[in-house]
Amino acid sequence: MPVIEHKQFIKAPIGVCFDLARDVGVHTQTTLKTKERAVGGVTKGLLEEGDSVTWEAVHFGIKQRLTAKVIFMEKPYSFVDVMVKGAFKSFIHIHQFTEEEEGTTMIDHFQYKSRFGLIGVLIDKWFLERYMKSFIATRAAELKEIAEIKTNQTFD
């Protein structure tokens, strides 16, 4: 079962980072490459504990849907979402935020299990794990840019 951990330092307050990470509109904005959009459940605003959202996106040239549910939230330090329906056999995504002197460290901890047994394990090794690492890192970098722009506008 692959485990991906990505850390991103953001020069913005923890509350700003936390809220942007659970904002459905910002999620869409940070996943433009895959044309991700909310098509069910909570489709705008901030996700809260107990909320579900169905995302539609294009991965590997195939339009896919995935429904995730927020199962835990401790504002502004962490929230956890799990897949309830989608392409993976399962996944859990832990979003953690640590307040630093100059901003916030955002940590994505993503653990997933592919379908198709041994074939799924091979797909993970050949390309899926690398693809997911890149997807998470790109989204984190986009979120960083949005948070830092928002923070700078607040102080200007």
Side-chain angles (χ1 to χ4, degrees):
M1 181 182 292
V3 176
I4 298 166
E5 187 168 287
H6 179 79
K7 293 182 181 182
Q8 180 73 62
F9 179 76
I10 305 170
K11 287 187 176 185
I14 192 170
V16 169
C17 298
F18 184 82
D19 285 348
L20 289 174
R22 63 192 181 103
D23 187 300
V24 173
V26 171
H27 184 95
T28 301
Q29 190 178 345
T30 61
T31 55
L32 291 174
K33 189 175 179 181
T34 58
K35 301 177 184 147
E36 202 151 325
R37 64 190 185 103
V39 296
V42 177
T43 59
K44 60 184 175 181
L46 301 178
L47 293 168
E48 299 289 347
E49 187 172 338
D51 287 347
S52 292
V53 59
T54 299
W55 300 103
E56 184 177 87
V58 178
H59 295 279
F60 308 110
I62 302 166
K63 188 183 285 189
Q64 302 178 37
R65 285 194 177 193
L66 181 141
T67 302
K69 181 175 184 172
V70 179
I71 62 165
F72 173 82
M73 186 172 292
E74 181 184 358
K75 296 176 184 177
Y77 304 105
S78 67
F79 68 96
V80 178
D81 60 286
V82 297
M83 186 198 79
V84 294
K85 185 177 181 184
F88 296 100
K89 185 171 184 178
S90 65
F91 83 56
I92 183 168
H93 189 171
I94 302 167
H95 308 256
Q96 294 178 298
F97 304 84
T98 305
E99 199 164 20
E100 307 287 346
E101 190 172 315
E102 298 289 322
T104 302
T105 298
M106 179 176 74
I107 303 169
D108 286 288
H109 182 89
F110 185 76
Q111 184 173 340
Y112 70 95
K113 191 168 192 173
S114 294
R115 296 188 186 276
F116 312 119
L118 182 58
I119 293 171
V121 171
L122 293 173
I123 290 169
D124 288 339
K125 296 285 183 217
W126 289 336
F127 66 89
L128 186 58
E129 187 173 357
R130 185 174 40 238
Y131 178 84
M132 292 307 301
K133 283 180 182 178
S134 175
F135 181 80
I136 290 168
T138 299
R139 178 164 148 47
E142 293 282 333
L143 197 138
K144 170 185 171 69
E145 185 176 334
I146 292 166
E148 289 177 352
I149 288 169
K150 182 176 181 142
T151 299
N152 286 336
Q153 287 173 347
T154 303
F155 293 114
D156 287 344

